[in-house]
Amino acid sequence: MTYAVPESLRRIARQLRTETEEYGRHAAHDMRGRGVDTRAELKRLWSQLEDLVEHRARPAVRDASREGGRYLRGGRDAALDATDRLRHATREHPLLAIGIAVATTWAVVSLLRWRR
């Protein structure tokens, strides 16, 4: 589920690019075929592009940021829950907690010495 948001943004970006290229092709064809005023056509195309960004890209970014916020809150809640469980376990078994801390420290020191 963590890949759903970035993939949707990529899909919208590809769609924006495709539609922009299509607008450009149509504009080039129209300008060649009918001799349309270039500035007016570019102004029209720019307006369409702004509308496209306003109606598709902005809502997608807003939804992605909301979804990211939900993931962050879930991660924070999980970390707080794990901290509470660890605190409870160390209060229930203090000697075991000290033994685990000593063993972990020894393992880290051994790895750092071995690396040199």
Side-chain angles (χ1 to χ4, degrees), residues 54-98:
E54 182 71 28
H55 292 98
R56 292 200 183 158
R58 187 173 289 171
V61 170
R62 187 181 328 113
D63 293 345
S65 67
R66 286 180 184 153
E67 190 69 22
R70 281 190 218 111
Y71 283 121
L72 287 174
R73 283 188 292 282
R76 180 195 63 204
D77 293 343
L80 290 174
D81 187 44
T83 302
D84 288 340
R85 281 189 268 137
L86 182 62
R87 184 179 301 122
H88 178 70
T90 55
R91 287 182 180 158
E92 291 288 318
H93 308 285
L95 293 178
L96 179 63
I98 291 171

Side-chain angles (χ1 to χ4, degrees), residues 17-97:
R17 186 183 74 205
T18 302
E19 289 183 18
T20 303
E21 289 172 350
E22 184 178 323
Y23 287 143
R25 281 192 297 276
H26 287 301
H29 182 290
D30 287 348
M31 284 181 233
R32 271 188 250 121
R34 291 184 282 155
V36 177
D37 180 25
T38 312
R39 286 188 179 164
E41 186 66 18
L42 287 174
K43 206 180 263 191
R44 183 184 69 78
L45 290 173
W46 187 257
S47 175
Q48 287 178 348
L49 182 61
E50 286 175 339
D51 289 343
L52 184 66
V53 168
E54 182 71 28
H55 292 98
R56 292 200 183 158
R58 187 173 289 171
V61 170
R62 187 181 328 113
D63 293 345
S65 67
R66 286 180 184 153
E67 190 69 22
R70 281 190 218 111
Y71 283 121
L72 287 174
R73 283 188 292 282
R76 180 195 63 204
D77 293 343
L80 290 174
D81 187 44
T83 302
D84 288 340
R85 281 189 268 137
L86 182 62
R87 184 179 301 122
H88 178 70
T90 55
R91 287 182 180 158
E92 291 288 318
H93 308 285
L95 293 178
L96 179 63

Side-chain angles (χ1 to χ4, degrees), residues 2-21:
T2 58
Y3 296 104
V5 173
E7 180 56 36
S8 66
L9 289 176
R10 277 190 225 107
R11 182 175 35 82
I12 288 172
R14 283 191 300 266
Q15 187 176 8
L16 284 172
R17 186 183 74 205
T18 302
E19 289 183 18
T20 303
E21 289 172 350

